[in-house]
Amino acid sequence: MQVDVAIVGAGLVGASLARALATSGLSLAIVEGAPPPERTQDWDARIYALSPGNVAFLQTLGAWGALDRSRVCPVRAMRIFGDDGRSQIEFSAYDAGVNELAWNVESGELQRALWLLLERQPKLSLVYPARPSSLDVGADAATLRTDAGQSISSRLLVGADGANSWVRREAGFQADARPYGEKGVVANFACERPHRGTALQWFRADGVLAYLPLPGDRISIVWSTADAHAAELMSMPPDEFCARVAQAGAGTLGKLDLLTPPAAFALTHLAVRDIARPRLALIGDAAHVVHPLAGQGVNLGFGDARALAAVLQDRTASRDPGDYSLLRRFERSRAEDILAMRLVTDGLQRLFRARQPWVARLRNLGLNLTDAVPVIKTMLARRAMS
Ligand SMILES: Cc1cc2nc3c(=O)[nH]c(=O)nc-3n(C[C@H](O)[C@H](O)[C@H](O)COP(=O)(O)OP(=O)(O)OC[C@H]3O[C@@H](n4cnc5c(N)ncnc54)[C@H](O)[C@@H]3O)c2cc1C
């Protein structure tokens, strides 16, 4: 098979790029190792808080409109607590002059909506379940061979195959991976008291705990915590786990009842030196992995997909999509956002993990000061919403 653009990985980021290129006139192939996601009645424990900018992007792709509205939840306010029991910062959609700060959505539902659109997209070959087994990057094409023996030759090959990217490794991109020694424990709960569309986050001695509002009196949590504590949480009987999560959240939402069993994801920091080469580009977690404390990983990935699609759409029709100068333009347009998000999430993780008393005073003072200066708060909120 010969196409203009081949994408490895139809996760949220790879699928959104393929969809964003639907009107580009380019022929596409997407190679995905897993079967398409099934619809389930249960709530997905992977919940993402999507920025309004990325919701607008998904709207243009037709994916946002395809979601069941009863399963997405607007976030109208956000409160973040320091670890001294007093310090906090609050953001509200009202203060920022917008209707909502973010939208919480199930990973599986969004994945399914995108996949259904890809199935109907002309000039797109869905190659699944399949994994690439070899890669040859030549002057005119990048050629993949899949484990089923299929050959896919493209003028541009995009690695959207997640944190352990095969494309990144096989093409020899330099990556620096550093495990945090932490896991993100996720689970969904029914809560006794209404959350009123407010996301809550506590920087605690035992990690960072976030409550993300879901439709109705439900929440999803992400508790980023040391491996040993994560193992302890995962081994608790459900009642004890619920009580521990409610207590860690200062009883704010009353009693919690488990809706989905907890799952734990290893947390890693990953920085990739270049995300573009002649005929090759990396997007999403293949290009950067950040700590989930800011809930920005997939948002950053959608930013990559938006930027790469824009560069490919804006080129003159005759221009080779794998041309390095074009791909460098994409790389440059993403450099600042990726670096800023890496520094902020990594810096916060280190700042709140440090146990020295002076660091504790400094970080809590930082929260209070930021809360007291409306200009900085509005600036932070606007940046997070783009
Ligand atoms: C606990 C936790 C909580 C998080 N919470 C948030 C949040 O609230 N908000 C947010 O924005 N981000 C969050 N993130 C980050 C987010 O999960 C990732 O940034 C996002 O999933 C990256 O999407 P992706 O499409 O790049 O990669 P992935 O989701 O990893 O998708 C990669 C795709 O490639 C396929 N694939 C992999 N290897 C191959 C191969 N060799 N051949 C073929 N196919 C392959 C996979 O099957 C998959 O479909 C969180 C992360 C964690 C761990």
Side-chain angles (χ1 to χ4, degrees):
M1 181 191 309
Q2 283 199 340
V3 289
D4 294 316
V5 181
I7 303 167
V8 180
L12 292 178
V13 175
S16 71
L17 173 67
R19 183 67 193 151
L21 292 175
T23 53
S24 65
L26 295 163
S27 57
L28 309 170
I30 189 158
V31 181
E32 169 56 50
E38 301 266 330
R39 178 95 212 248
T40 85
Q41 289 309 310
D42 296 334
W43 287 81
D44 188 346
R46 285 303 283 267
I47 302 293
Y48 295 137
L50 299 185
S51 70
N54 281 325
V55 169
F57 170 58
L58 292 167
Q59 262 159 354
T60 65
L61 305 186
W64 191 253
L67 290 173
D68 177 347
R69 307 303 291 169
S70 68
R71 292 180 76 141
V72 297
C73 183
V75 180
R76 310 243 185 249
M78 188 174 189
R79 293 173 73 191
I80 303 171
F81 303 90
D83 59 349
D84 61 357
R86 295 185 307 273
S87 306
Q88 60 170 293
I89 180 168
E90 182 159 356
F91 297 95
S92 79
Y94 181 80
D95 289 344
V98 293
N99 289 330
E100 52 279 318
L101 293 175
W103 287 89
N104 287 343
V105 57
E106 292 162 278
S107 174
E109 283 288 291
L110 186 52
Q111 187 83 63
R112 225 177 60 88
L114 280 165
W115 185 271
L116 291 176
L117 290 166
L118 294 185
E119 280 183 335
R120 297 199 298 269
Q121 186 167 315
K123 293 186 79 169
L124 168 69
S125 305
L126 286 170
V127 183
Y128 75 95
R131 288 180 174 273
S133 54
S134 72
L135 170 64
D136 176 32
V137 183
D140 301 321
T143 305
L144 283 180
R145 188 161 284 280
T146 72
D147 49 7
Q150 191 172 5
S151 166
I152 303 168
S153 176
S154 59
R155 293 196 287 160
L156 168 63
L157 173 68
V158 180
D161 47 349
N164 297 316
S165 171
W166 179 92
V167 174
R168 187 182 68 226
R169 215 176 35 247
E170 203 64 19
F173 283 92
Q174 267 198 30
D176 172 23
R178 174 166 46 84
Y180 279 114
E182 292 183 356
K183 297 227 163 37
V185 176
V186 299
N188 295 336
F189 298 86
C191 46
E192 191 184 15
R193 294 194 202 124
H195 52 60
R196 300 183 203 286
T198 301
L200 301 164
Q201 190 171 40
W202 292 267
F203 283 88
R204 296 168 46 84
D206 58 11
V208 186
L209 172 64
Y211 283 9
L212 304 173
L214 291 179
D217 290 336
R218 301 183 188 90
I219 56 160
S220 183
I221 69 146
V222 183
W223 196 341
S224 311
T225 190
D227 287 338
H229 185 231
E232 186 195 335
L233 292 172
M234 293 296 293
S235 64
M236 282 177 181
D239 284 356
E240 197 182 332
F241 178 61
C242 290
R244 179 74 73 92
V245 173
Q247 183 216 344
T252 315
L253 300 181
K255 186 171 178 294
L256 300 180
D257 287 308
L258 202 56
L259 292 175
T260 54
F265 298 88
L267 304 184
T268 302
H269 175 269
L270 180 108
V272 183
R273 186 179 297 171
D274 314 303
I275 59 169
R277 294 265 182 86
R279 311 236 158 264
L280 298 166
L282 300 176
I283 59 172
D285 273 18
H288 40 69
V289 180
V290 295
H291 196 283
L293 63 82
Q296 289 297 321
V298 85
N299 282 297
L300 204 56
F302 282 138
D304 301 341
R306 279 157 74 179
L308 184 53
V311 162
L312 293 174
Q313 299 261 31
D314 290 350
R315 79 190 210 295
T316 48
S318 57
R319 182 127 180 230
D320 181 346
D323 177 353
Y324 186 45
S325 59
L326 204 62
L327 300 176
R328 280 280 295 144
R329 199 183 309 157
F330 151 71
E331 185 175 54
R332 278 195 301 272
S333 73
R334 295 304 295 144
E336 188 189 324
D337 270 6
I338 295 172
L339 182 67
M341 194 53 67
R342 260 196 11 232
L343 293 179
V344 167
T345 51
D346 203 42
L348 280 174
Q349 196 272 344
R350 285 168 193 256
L351 192 62
F352 278 88
R353 199 186 45 190
R355 300 269 60 91
Q356 296 92 324
W358 68 271
V359 183
R361 277 199 297 279
L362 187 72
R363 65 194 172 214
N364 290 305
L365 181 72
L367 274 187
N368 289 329
L369 274 180
T370 310
D371 196 45
V373 184
V375 179
I376 298 182
K377 264 173 70 168
T378 308
M379 203 182 73
L380 286 174
R382 290 205 185 283
R383 175 141 197 138
M385 285 188 296
S386 63

